[in-house]
Amino acid sequence: MDKTVPPGAAILLDLIRETEVGRSDRASYDVIYGHNQGKLPQPLTTMTYGEVVDAQKGWSKRFRSSAAGGYQFMRATLIDLAKQVTSISGKDVFTPDLQDRLAYKLLLRRGYAEFIVGKISLVQFAENLAKEWASFPVLVATKGSEREIRRGQSYYAGDGLNKALVMPEKVEAVLKEVLDAACRPHEPVEEPEARPVPSPAPKPKPKPVRKSGRFWTWLLTAGGTIVTGLKELNLVVLDWRVQIAILVVIVGFAVYAITSMPAVRGALGLK
């Protein structure tokens, strides 16, 4: 049973499949009217929604009815449901789960939501079900589609095709079971919790150049080297051009040393 179908509705849908096609197992979803599914080129549950509707055109003449699947959907019903349920595509495969969801839509149409909260009686809901599924009986005498009918007869009795296939007492018992299940708390299936993804460790921010002790150490060292060099070489007696050349070399080495530091290179936009 599709997990989106509430427990109470699931109990009722099992009874509907068992009554309509004579079984409620996995194979029930492949049945077509008259149990002629063996004459199809492929199993019903492997066909798409559109393929089923197209194939049903010829079934009424060939098999006397277009009823298909575990809930014996008529062709007109499937076409109507496709218009109402916009999430259905003609390319969707006619799986058991899809059939369950469609049948639950039919239950809602027939007053399931109102029945489980007491807005309509058990007798009225049973008659609504009998109008949707011809194998279900009415629970009290009433006017059917063809004539007056008695308790236990199909709503369509007298049409030469349909008759009730389940006793009214069983329908009453199952509907009471449905009410009981609907009153119990229903815990939705929870998805497994996703493991938290560890956050990457933050990258250390480069230390600003102005706060770098290395920067000032190199700067002072370079400056001291220049001054010491001038004193030791007694550059004051050299030609001014020579003094400038020596100064450029010393400053160049100092700049290279300073700019080789990562913080300085980052500040200058160097790779």
Side-chain angles (χ1 to χ4, degrees), residues 1-184:
M1 181 64 61
D2 184 86
K3 296 185 183 301
T4 63
V5 177
I11 293 171
L12 181 52
L13 291 181
D14 282 342
L15 175 63
I16 292 171
R17 284 202 323 284
E18 182 181 353
T19 304
E20 284 287 309
V21 302
R23 58 196 306 170
S24 59
D25 57 2
R26 170 61 178 78
S28 65
Y29 294 95
D30 281 305
V31 175
I32 67 170
Y33 182 81
H35 293 270
N36 287 298
Q37 57 271 15
K39 299 176 183 179
L40 300 181
Q42 67 184 92
L44 194 68
T45 52
T46 65
M47 299 168 67
T48 66
Y49 197 96
E51 287 172 341
V52 172
V53 172
D54 288 343
Q56 284 177 308
K57 290 180 182 178
W59 293 353
S60 294
K61 183 177 180 180
R62 185 180 178 188
F63 305 127
R64 298 184 62 202
S65 173
S66 64
Y71 305 99
Q72 294 293 276
F73 298 103
M74 304 298 287
R75 184 170 187 266
T77 301
L78 289 182
I79 292 174
D80 190 45
L81 283 170
K83 293 176 181 178
Q84 180 189 5
V85 186
T86 56
S87 60
I88 295 177
S89 165
K91 295 181 180 179
D92 291 338
V93 179
F94 204 56
T95 61
D97 280 352
L98 178 56
Q99 293 185 39
D100 291 338
R101 293 196 297 273
L102 293 172
Y104 179 53
K105 292 291 184 184
L106 294 181
L107 287 186
L108 293 175
R109 279 187 180 182
R110 293 298 181 177
Y112 175 81
E114 291 77 13
F115 166 62
I116 63 175
V117 297
K119 289 186 177 181
I120 62 174
S121 68
L122 186 149
V123 170
Q124 181 60 60
F125 184 52
E127 182 176 323
N128 293 350
L129 294 176
K131 291 176 180 178
E132 188 68 49
W133 287 283
S135 61
F136 268 55
V138 296
L139 301 183
V140 295
T142 188
K143 175 70 171 65
S145 68
E146 304 295 325
R147 56 178 171 82
E148 292 291 330
I149 54 176
R150 303 183 308 275
R151 168 182 164 87
Q153 288 188 305
S154 168
Y155 183 81
Y156 300 96
D159 67 354
L161 184 64
N162 295 293
K163 64 179 180 178
L165 300 176
V166 59
M167 297 298 293
E169 292 79 12
K170 183 171 184 179
V171 174
E172 289 170 332
V174 170
L175 290 182
K176 290 176 182 178
E177 186 181 351
V178 168
L179 280 177
D180 182 59
C183 291
R184 292 195 299 266

Side-chain angles (χ1 to χ4, degrees), residues 11 199 226:
I11 293 171
S199 302
I226 294 172

